[in-house]
Amino acid sequence: MTKLYQRIASAIMLTTFAASVLTGCSSAPASSSQSSSDAPAVEFGLGLDSKGFYDGIKAQDYVTLPDDYAAIPLSEEDVAANEEGYGDFLEYIVQAAGTTTEVTDRAIQKGDMVTLDLTSSVVGVNLEDGTLQDYTVILGYGTFIEGFEEQLLGHKSGETFDVSIEYPDDAGTAKDVDGNEVDLSGKSVLFSDTVKSVMEYELTDEAIVKAFGDTTTMPDGTPVTTVDQLYDYYIESETMTNTQNAIIAYLQENSEVSEIPESIVEQQKEVERQYAEYIASVYNYESVDEFLAANDYEDMDAYIDTAMDSIESNVKYRLIIQAIAEADGLEVENDAYVKAFGATKDIVAATYGEEYAAQMALEYTVLTHLMSTAKVS
């Protein structure tokens, strides 16, 4: 069965400088500070203090930093922005922030939002839950099965036509409208479609202001308020992200972590356990044991065992970040939350918990500091 979740170790995402675009603060399972959620709480900040440090742990006792960490050598090639990616970035912004206008005088093209009714069948037998009314797909997002969007191109609003998709050999089974099991593996699934409307997007300065708010800025602090700024914003953000990633790679390759305190490992195991319970609840499993069995885990111990490499890798990285903060006297300022996440400290803390939010903001603070001292050639 395809796993329906991401491990907490892999879900602890590295901070990116474009994180605030359109989304504000990312959603996450409720921390222990959020009692309003019906789902089990996940204490992401277990074992951390309010500064984002491992509580009672001096990272420098375990980490040997590279001698040149204060002037990390980077190549221009590693940090340069990929200009070819701007088209995809612009398409995302247009579809996320643009206004729509109905199209009646041309065929569907990439980037359009298409609303349609569809019915799916195999060998003339309709599939259970295979009839959708007013289904919306934005061409270019790949949200529906591969090959479907491409066959919408060239059709117009009001047309009715069929789309045929060859399912892979390991597609598995589905139910037909009578409840009988139907093998989809290697079969041709027919989608009968009626296009109800086609909308195109337009991006205006007003939409940029509304979407980006006052928290998204150029590196020099200039707010992003116009369409004309988007290219420069993309290039500068991409360069900063590449620089950040290159620094992370350098630190991981050139720092030495003698050992990981056992207390941290045990705390992260507990976070994994809580996360499994949370996901089991979100996907409506009767129990966490049912969730584990459905995902081919014998028990919770087996689940955690498979996470150990990710846990240890993440903790080593966090210890390196903390060691640099200790060595250079770095602490998290309130504006780090807004710059990193596009939201205030209170909002980020309400989502992740105060301690874990502080650890993420500490990462941003340390990496920003290292970027200012890195040597790019």
Side-chain angles (χ1 to χ4, degrees):
M1 178 178 178
T2 301
K3 291 182 170 37
L4 298 175
Y5 63 97
Q6 286 184 311
R7 293 195 167 285
I8 182 61
S10 62
I12 299 175
M13 305 299 288
L14 302 180
T15 304
T16 61
F17 290 91
S20 61
V21 177
L22 305 179
T23 60
C25 185
S26 300
S27 61
S31 71
S32 58
S33 64
Q34 291 177 290
S35 58
S36 60
S37 173
D38 293 333
V42 182
E43 297 178 273
F44 288 123
L46 190 65
L48 301 175
D49 64 22
S50 60
K51 298 192 301 181
F53 287 24
Y54 288 115
D55 194 16
I57 300 293
K58 183 179 180 181
Q60 288 175 288
D61 291 341
Y62 302 91
V63 177
T64 301
L65 297 169
D67 293 337
D68 58 355
Y69 83 88
I72 294 175
L74 303 175
S75 71
E76 185 67 40
E77 181 180 354
D78 287 338
V79 304
N82 173 23
E83 295 190 28
E84 294 180 358
Y86 177 67
D88 291 337
F89 169 78
L90 181 60
E91 181 179 333
Y92 168 75
I93 298 299
V94 168
Q95 294 175 353
T99 57
T100 56
T101 303
E102 187 168 7
V103 175
T104 58
D105 59 351
R106 65 162 173 80
I108 297 169
Q109 62 188 28
K110 186 177 179 181
D112 287 342
M113 181 173 71
V114 180
T115 300
L116 44 80
D117 294 341
L118 64 86
T119 300
S120 56
S121 62
V122 178
V123 195
V125 177
N126 289 344
L127 297 177
E128 183 182 44
D129 300 325
T131 297
L132 300 175
Q133 301 290 324
D134 296 323
Y135 180 78
T136 298
V137 56
I138 300 175
L139 273 66
Y141 265 22
T143 54
F144 208 60
I145 189 168
E146 185 177 356
F148 181 84
E149 292 181 10
E150 291 80 358
Q151 295 185 59
L152 298 183
L153 296 172
H155 292 284
K156 292 184 178 181
S157 181
E159 286 190 22
T160 297
F161 55 93
D162 292 337
V163 168
S164 181
I165 302 291
E166 295 294 326
Y167 273 46
D169 292 337
D170 59 352
T173 62
K175 295 290 184 64
D176 65 18
V177 291
D178 295 322
N180 301 311
E181 193 169 85
V182 178
D183 184 11
L184 300 180
S185 301
K187 299 291 180 60
S188 178
V189 178
L190 188 69
F191 296 88
S192 297
D193 307 290
T194 298
V195 179
K196 302 182 75 172
S197 68
V198 179
M199 311 291 286
E200 66 179 357
Y201 287 91
E202 179 185 7
L203 191 63
T204 64
D205 291 348
E206 290 77 12
I208 293 295
V209 171
K210 182 177 179 180
F212 280 64
D214 57 2
T215 59
T216 302
T217 67
M218 299 291 195
D220 65 1
T222 303
V224 178
T225 58
T226 69
V227 175
D228 290 342
Q229 287 176 289
L230 288 179
Y231 178 77
D232 288 341
Y233 173 77
Y234 167 80
I235 293 298
E236 293 180 15
S237 297
E238 180 86 353
T239 300
M240 292 179 72
T241 299
N242 291 346
T243 303
Q244 178 190 45
N245 290 338
I247 287 173
I248 292 170
Y250 188 86
L251 290 174
Q252 291 178 320
E253 291 171 6
N254 295 280
S255 301
E256 293 183 11
V257 180
S258 60
E259 63 176 307
I260 300 176
E262 185 62 28
S263 61
I264 299 179
V265 174
E266 292 304 314
Q267 289 156 356
Q268 292 306 302
K269 286 181 179 179
E270 173 61 17
V271 175
E272 282 281 356
R273 184 190 66 76
Q274 293 178 9
Y275 194 72
E277 292 181 347
Y278 170 82
I279 293 298
S281 173
V282 167
Y283 286 98
N284 297 316
Y285 286 92
E286 292 293 329
S287 67
V288 69
D289 289 337
E290 180 185 355
F291 161 72
L292 294 171
N295 287 276
D296 300 324
Y297 292 106
E298 183 177 347
D299 52 27
M300 182 64 75
D301 288 340
Y303 167 81
I304 291 176
D305 283 346
T306 62
M308 284 307 300
D309 286 346
S310 294
I311 288 175
E312 292 177 358
S313 176
N314 181 67
V315 171
K316 285 181 179 179
Y317 170 66
R318 298 293 170 177
L319 284 170
I320 293 169
I321 291 295
Q322 181 175 324
I324 295 171
E326 293 170 356
D328 291 3
L330 302 175
E331 294 186 359
V332 176
E333 302 292 341
N334 285 343
D335 65 349
Y337 295 89
V338 175
K339 291 178 179 178
F341 310 111
T344 64
K345 177 182 177 179
D346 289 344
I347 293 174
V348 181
T351 303
Y352 295 101
E354 179 182 1
E355 295 80 8
Y356 183 57
Q359 189 183 58
M360 291 191 292
L362 180 68
E363 178 189 20
Y364 170 85
T365 299
V366 169
L367 293 178
T368 301
H369 170 68
L370 294 179
M371 283 191 292
S372 70
T373 62
K375 303 300 181 183
V376 180
S377 59

